[in-house]
Amino acid sequence: MSVYAEERRADRAADAEQRRIDAAAAEARRVEREKAADERAARLTEQRRGERVRAREERARLRAERRAAWGEALTAGNVYRKGTLALVAASALGSLPAQVLHFAGISPMLLPLPLAIEGAAWVMAAGVAYADERHLPGWVRWFLRLLVLAAAGFAASINYTYGLHLPGLSATDRRAAGIGLAAVTLLGPVLFEIRQWVTTLSADTNSPEERARRRHDRLRRRQHRAVVQLADRFVSAAPFGQLDFETAFAHAWEIETGTDTPGMTPRLHERAARSAAALAHAQRAVVDPAPPRRRIGTLFRRRGGRPLHPATNQDEAAETYVNRSTADLGESTPAPITPAPAPAALPVAPVVSLVKSTDRPPVGAVAAESTRPRRATGRVPAVARSTRPARTAEQLLTEARKATTKWSDRELTAEGIRKAVHTSPAKARVLRDTLRAERAAGSGEAAA
């Protein structure tokens, strides 16, 4: 009994364990099925959401395309072109019936005339557009425009006459009808021609460089007509394609002006040379500045009512640039000519001649010729009013002796003598050496 009971308990435990395992497996399968169902539902939801988003994006794209299409259709250019065509069509519909009724009332055989007149105006207007497209000469376009104006004017006169004879209207209404029919007849060709003109101007797709080149060519032909005509003759005389215009223009410029640089003329070369000379003179003036104005002014002063010689003044001014005295620096420059000491027996020391020989006669200064008017320079200096002869070496030495009678040996300098007697630095140095020699000779005699 005990063995059977134990086996029964074992069987029941095994059955219970199997039921538990089966229940756990069933639960796991249920969970898997629910999980798969949830995932499938999530995928469907995401798919529907994606479809809704794509649908919204597609609708937005279609709206954007429609707005862009409307924007392109409603641009100023499209509105003008299409609106002009609509007005032209309305003009034709308004003018053609009146012409048909007018000619049909005269005779049925004249029925093709309105079509021919109106058609001639529009065909000639199309011819103007074709001429613009093919870049034909200007006279062709104007000839076609005259034909358009003639046909449209004849049709307008017919419609005006027809409007004046409409029955059942007052005189004012008939006149208004005639003017309206004539105006609408002319309106179509005029608007079409204006549209074609504006379209031709706006269709210029050339680059800015090409437009600038054309402006340059027009300016060159207007400002240098003779040179351009000669260059054109060179190009036409040479074989086709052998000589370009720029090379021909350079040759023509050299022949016409005598210079090998386009744009330059002999007159411009002369002005350039004068400018270069003035610049070089200014650079030399910076390197070697001119003496102070008070020193230059001494060349034009009077002494005893006798003006300085113009030629001597020029030589003294040149010497002032090169041989400027260094007495202001506290030292003395040796004179170019050193006189020998005067003998004791002679009362007066030998004098060195300071007169510079010249072969040309003394002449007054002459103003340089110039095309420009002379500018005002203020008060005229004394030298411009009168002249005086140059002083000799003896006169200069006498004046120097008088001026330096009370001077000490230290004060006896070339700069001081130059300021006292108003002479050049070179002559002042010679006078200084002469006076020092005289003083030295006088001191030697006194010591003896």
Side-chain angles (χ1 to χ4, degrees):
M1 287 294 293
S2 58
V3 175
Y4 177 74
E6 291 176 358
E7 290 178 354
R8 291 280 296 175
R9 285 194 297 274
D11 292 337
R12 286 194 295 270
D15 293 339
E17 181 64 22
Q18 185 63 38
R19 286 193 298 272
R20 185 183 64 78
I21 292 173
D22 293 340
E27 182 65 22
R29 289 192 297 271
R30 185 185 65 80
V31 170
E32 289 294 333
R33 287 193 300 272
E34 291 180 355
K35 183 178 180 181
D38 293 341
E39 290 178 354
R40 184 170 55 256
R43 284 195 302 270
L44 292 176
T45 303
E46 185 66 24
Q47 183 178 0
R48 286 192 294 271
R49 185 182 297 110
E51 290 176 355
R52 288 194 299 269
V53 170
R54 286 193 294 272
R56 286 196 299 269
E57 291 177 353
E58 183 66 19
R59 288 194 297 271
R61 186 182 63 81
L62 293 176
R63 286 195 298 269
E65 290 179 355
R66 286 194 296 271
R67 285 196 298 269
W70 276 103
E72 293 178 358
L74 295 178
T75 57
N78 288 335
V79 170
Y80 176 72
R81 288 191 295 269
K82 295 179 180 179
T84 303
L85 292 179
L87 290 177
V88 166
S91 171
L93 292 176
S95 63
L96 189 59
Q99 298 179 56
V100 171
L101 293 176
H102 177 78
F103 284 103
I106 297 175
S107 174
M109 298 181 61
L110 300 180
L111 187 61
L113 286 181
L115 300 177
I117 296 173
E118 196 73 18
W122 293 114
V123 169
M124 294 302 106
V128 174
Y130 180 77
D132 289 334
E133 181 183 354
R134 294 295 181 177
H135 301 287
L136 297 181
W139 67 268
V140 177
R141 306 174 194 178
W142 286 108
F143 179 71
L144 294 174
R145 290 188 180 103
L146 289 177
L147 293 179
V148 171
L149 182 61
F154 182 67
S157 65
I158 292 174
N159 286 341
Y160 180 73
T161 304
Y162 180 80
L164 291 179
H165 296 83
L166 286 176
L169 298 177
S170 63
T172 304
D173 293 340
R174 286 196 298 269
R175 186 170 180 273
I179 294 175
L181 288 174
V184 77
T185 303
L186 291 174
L187 182 64
V190 170
L191 289 179
F192 187 82
E193 180 58 30
I194 294 175
R195 173 184 178 274
Q196 179 60 31
W197 179 48
V198 174
T199 304
T200 303
L201 292 179
S202 61
D204 187 7
T205 58
N206 293 329
S207 63
E209 182 179 358
E210 182 65 21
R211 291 195 294 270
R213 189 192 63 78
R214 290 203 302 268
R215 286 194 299 270
H216 174 266
D217 185 67
R218 290 194 299 269
L219 186 63
R220 172 190 279 179
R221 291 184 176 274
R222 185 171 64 252
Q223 294 182 349
H224 310 288
R225 296 181 184 274
V227 181
V228 171
Q229 290 176 1
L230 185 57
D232 290 337
R233 291 175 58 187
F234 287 160
V235 174
S236 63
F240 179 75
Q242 295 296 324
L243 181 63
D244 61 309
F245 181 78
E246 293 299 331
T247 304
F249 185 85
H251 293 328
W253 185 273
E254 185 174 0
I255 293 173
E256 287 289 335
T257 63
T259 60
D260 57 353
T261 303
M264 293 297 293
T265 61
R267 184 177 179 182
L268 293 178
H269 274 297
E270 183 179 355
R271 291 175 58 185
R274 289 199 300 267
S275 300
L279 180 60
H281 178 72
Q283 292 177 351
R284 287 195 300 268
V286 171
V287 175
D288 187 11
R293 295 187 63 181
R294 62 184 180 84
R295 297 185 181 181
I296 298 176
T298 59
L299 300 175
F300 301 98
R301 294 180 183 173
R302 292 172 176 268
R303 181 150 181 92
R306 296 171 297 175
L308 296 176
H309 195 280
T312 306
N313 293 341
Q314 295 174 2
D315 296 336
E316 292 176 359
E319 292 176 0
T320 303
Y321 282 100
V322 181
N323 301 321
R324 186 174 300 168
S325 175
T326 57
D328 295 336
L329 302 176
E331 58 182 14
S332 176
T333 303
I337 302 176
T338 305
L346 296 178
V348 180
V351 179
V352 179
S353 177
L354 302 178
V355 179
K356 183 179 292 185
S357 62
T358 178
D359 295 334
R360 59 182 180 181
V363 292
V366 180
E369 296 182 359
S370 176
T371 57
R372 296 179 297 177
R374 183 179 177 181
R375 297 179 296 176
T377 57
R379 188 175 181 181
V380 180
V383 68
R385 294 193 295 268
S386 61
T387 60
R388 70 177 187 179
R391 292 171 291 180
T392 63
E394 290 78 5
Q395 292 174 349
L396 287 174
L397 185 57
T398 302
E399 292 180 7
R401 287 196 189 104
K402 291 179 181 180
T404 60
T405 302
K406 299 181 180 181
W407 288 15
S408 63
D409 293 341
R410 185 174 182 180
E411 295 175 346
L412 191 63
T413 60
E415 183 65 17
I417 296 172
R418 187 190 66 79
K419 292 180 180 179
V421 299
H422 307 293
T423 185
S424 65
K427 295 181 180 181
R429 289 193 292 271
V430 175
L431 293 173
R432 177 201 60 193
D433 296 336
T434 303
L435 293 176
R436 285 183 179 179
E438 289 179 356
R439 291 192 180 190
S443 299
E445 290 177 0

